[in-house]
Amino acid sequence: MPYYSFDGQSSGNEWVKTASGWKKLIALRENLHRHIKRIARERFQNSCKDLSSGEGTSSGTGLHQGGSAGIDVTVAQSQNCDAVENHSEKAINQALRQKYEDIDKPQTSFVLIARNARARGNYSTLGEIINKLDFVSAVEDHRRFNYVCKVLELIVTTRFTSLSGLAQQNLFYIIEEALHVVNKKQHNPGQLRRILCGAIVAMNENRSTHIGCQATWKKRMGMLQSWLDKLNSIQLTEREEDGKMMLMELPDEVLGRILEHLSDARDIINTDRTCSHLHLLATHNLLWRNLCIFHFTEHQITKLCPLDDIEVDWKGVYRKLHKRHPLKEVYTDMLQICGFCNCLFWMNGGHPCTRELLPAGDTSLKERPELAINFSLSPQQFLNLFLSPQPVSFSALISQYT
């Protein structure tokens, strides 16, 4: 039965009864704030598109009333109207670009994973950590999308049964938001498809141990199946000819350089299946050799063949190495753990570290330089922090991730 807790060691969260059951009040507030922020971002982006296309610059009076350009009305009375309109349009574009850059900045989300005897309301479980780091908003950021999707894929395949009821509900919120992003941007549908299929398999395998009643299980299975059907029904729109250069009009050298920047072999294989011209470029032996050098060490490669041997089938070498060794994971933004304050945060977002409060003559960082390092965590390393309910010692983290 939900209750108001006054225990000194508990968080004392308030619960409210909704149409779908009892929920934490703080979770409802965060969900409402998340939807308001998404609607505001969409409206602002639409206004940017309208004004950049010239729809908002047809009337000089409307510009001065909006106040976006910051131009005095007396200027319009003393100068030529055409010059004023050009100046207004440039000022509007500059102001909108600055506002969009401020909105598009990575959000600062962090959480302290250290625990002590006097701690109150610490976030220690995997579900609470994901909620505190705001994975729902992170999936909307193109810099964090791949990282969040990889974490979700690992959770639904290995940790789904260990999640609490509220954590599973938050997990479904993140998957729904990822579907919204994929449907809007039409990018990375394969990652989301693997997550949905893994969640359906996990729900079927753990039907008897699922948290909640039978109706809850059927409702969530129906949601997953409907999301999968919606994902499969997405039609990728091709770019229309607008007089600008198309992809296939680029020189082979440029196309080859583009393929060299692909770190995922599945992307290269999919490019190989598009047309005969890209097939020749995607099956180039030097391309797969560079891919092997990127993902694997020299010691691992030389066990199969020498590095300077060009006649070897490097695509076959890559397949053999992929079966034996893990691939190098590359993400634009990922989670890091601070060596000084034991804080978990997003790399591009930063965190308020207590290291900045040290006095000027403090020599603790010189004696222990590892405290000044922020350790990057891969998705699997992030999940390994929650193998047990015991607090994670930082010395174990240093020995594991260095």
Side-chain angles (χ1 to χ4, degrees), residues 38-109:
R38 185 179 68 182
I39 294 173
R41 185 185 293 110
E42 291 177 354
R43 289 183 178 178
F44 184 78
Q45 291 175 353
N46 293 332
S47 64
C48 289
K49 294 178 181 178
D50 295 340
L51 289 175
S52 61
S53 61
E55 296 177 6
T57 59
S58 59
S59 174
T61 307
L63 290 174
H64 301 307
Q65 292 177 353
S68 300
I71 302 175
D72 195 356
V73 181
T74 58
V75 179
Q77 298 176 354
S78 60
Q79 296 183 2
N80 190 7
C81 294
D82 296 335
V84 172
E85 288 183 0
N86 294 332
H87 183 61
S88 302
E89 185 176 357
K90 291 180 181 179
I92 286 175
N93 292 334
Q94 184 178 1
L96 290 177
R97 190 181 300 110
Q98 181 65 29
K99 289 183 179 179
Y100 183 76
E101 289 177 356
D102 294 339
I103 289 181
D104 197 46
K105 287 182 180 179
Q107 299 296 320
T108 302
S109 301

Side-chain angles (χ1 to χ4, degrees), residues 336-390:
Q336 288 187 337
I337 186 169
C338 180
F340 187 81
C341 61
N342 208 19
C343 181
L344 195 63
F345 62 97
W346 289 102
M347 180 176 63
N348 291 338
H351 73 293
C353 185
T354 55
R355 181 174 52 193
E356 301 174 357
L357 303 178
L358 292 177
D362 190 90
T363 60
S364 58
L365 295 180
K366 294 182 180 179
E367 297 174 356
R368 299 183 61 186
E370 68 275 4
L371 297 180
I373 302 176
N374 295 331
F375 296 93
S376 299
L377 302 178
S378 66
Q380 186 61 56
Q381 291 171 343
F382 166 68
L383 294 180
N384 290 341
L385 296 176
F386 310 97
L387 286 175
S388 63
Q390 299 296 328

Side-chain angles (χ1 to χ4, degrees), residues 245-304:
M245 183 175 291
M246 307 292 286
L247 177 65
M248 298 306 299
E249 297 176 358
L250 296 174
D252 292 347
E253 293 79 6
V254 178
L255 292 175
R257 292 289 296 175
I258 294 175
L259 292 176
E260 288 179 0
H261 283 78
L262 298 178
S263 60
D264 195 342
R266 290 173 294 189
D267 296 334
I268 300 178
I269 293 175
N270 292 332
T271 306
D272 177 15
R273 299 171 180 173
T274 54
C275 63
S276 58
H277 183 65
L278 290 179
H279 169 75
L280 297 176
L281 298 176
T283 55
H284 198 277
N285 210 21
L286 186 60
L287 176 64
W288 288 94
R289 176 180 176 272
N290 294 334
L291 193 63
C292 291
I293 296 175
F294 176 78
H295 282 289
F296 308 105
T297 63
E298 182 178 357
H299 177 70
Q300 295 171 347
I301 297 175
T302 52
K303 286 185 177 181
L304 297 178

Side-chain angles (χ1 to χ4, degrees), residues 109-373:
S109 301
F110 61 92
V111 56
L112 293 172
I113 64 174
R115 181 185 294 179
N116 51 58
R118 297 181 180 179
R120 172 175 174 164
N122 280 330
Y123 296 86
S124 56
T125 65
L126 176 60
E128 290 170 331
I129 288 287
I130 289 177
N131 189 26
K132 183 64 177 178
L133 291 173
D134 199 5
F135 270 44
V136 179
S137 298
V139 80
E140 299 177 0
D141 193 340
H142 59 89
R143 292 165 288 228
R144 301 173 181 175
F145 182 84
N146 293 332
Y147 189 93
V148 174
C149 286
K150 185 62 178 178
V151 172
L152 295 180
E153 185 178 353
L154 293 175
I155 289 176
V156 298
T157 53
T158 61
R159 304 290 186 88
F160 188 79
T161 56
S162 63
L163 297 178
S164 62
L166 182 60
Q168 290 183 13
Q169 188 175 6
N170 294 333
L171 180 67
F172 279 89
Y173 285 153
I174 302 173
I175 295 176
E176 184 180 10
E177 189 63 31
L179 178 62
H180 174 75
V181 174
V182 171
N183 189 23
K184 180 180 178 181
K185 299 182 178 180
Q186 297 186 345
H187 290 168
N188 304 314
Q191 287 182 311
L192 186 57
R193 185 176 291 107
R194 290 193 296 270
I195 294 172
L196 291 174
C197 293
I200 292 175
V201 172
M203 290 282 290
N204 286 323
E205 291 180 351
N206 303 280
R207 183 172 183 176
S208 58
T209 59
H210 179 264
I211 299 177
C213 60
Q214 194 70 13
T216 304
W217 183 89
K218 292 181 179 180
K219 178 182 177 180
R220 291 181 175 177
M221 280 296 297
M223 290 171 53
L224 290 173
Q225 192 61 47
S226 63
W227 291 343
L228 185 60
D229 296 338
K230 184 177 180 180
L231 181 65
N232 293 330
S233 63
I234 294 177
Q235 299 293 333
L236 301 181
T237 57
E238 297 183 2
R239 175 188 163 191
E240 299 179 357
E241 294 187 5
D242 51 0
K244 299 180 181 180
M245 183 175 291
M246 307 292 286
L247 177 65
M248 298 306 299
E249 297 176 358
L250 296 174
D252 292 347
E253 293 79 6
V254 178
L255 292 175
R257 292 289 296 175
I258 294 175
L259 292 176
E260 288 179 0
H261 283 78
L262 298 178
S263 60
D264 195 342
R266 290 173 294 189
D267 296 334
I268 300 178
I269 293 175
N270 292 332
T271 306
D272 177 15
R273 299 171 180 173
T274 54
C275 63
S276 58
H277 183 65
L278 290 179
H279 169 75
L280 297 176
L281 298 176
T283 55
H284 198 277
N285 210 21
L286 186 60
L287 176 64
W288 288 94
R289 176 180 176 272
N290 294 334
L291 193 63
C292 291
I293 296 175
F294 176 78
H295 282 289
F296 308 105
T297 63
E298 182 178 357
H299 177 70
Q300 295 171 347
I301 297 175
T302 52
K303 286 185 177 181
L304 297 178
C305 63
L307 280 174
D308 55 353
D309 193 350
I310 306 178
E311 303 298 330
V312 178
D313 181 17
W314 283 100
K315 187 175 182 179
V317 173
Y318 176 84
R319 291 174 178 173
K320 294 179 181 179
L321 291 172
H322 183 28
K323 293 179 180 179
R324 300 180 182 181
H325 309 285
L327 299 178
K328 181 188 297 184
E329 298 183 72
V330 182
Y331 301 100
T332 306
D333 193 6
M334 59 193 308
L335 290 175
Q336 288 187 337
I337 186 169
C338 180
F340 187 81
C341 61
N342 208 19
C343 181
L344 195 63
F345 62 97
W346 289 102
M347 180 176 63
N348 291 338
H351 73 293
C353 185
T354 55
R355 181 174 52 193
E356 301 174 357
L357 303 178
L358 292 177
D362 190 90
T363 60
S364 58
L365 295 180
K366 294 182 180 179
E367 297 174 356
R368 299 183 61 186
E370 68 275 4
L371 297 180
I373 302 176

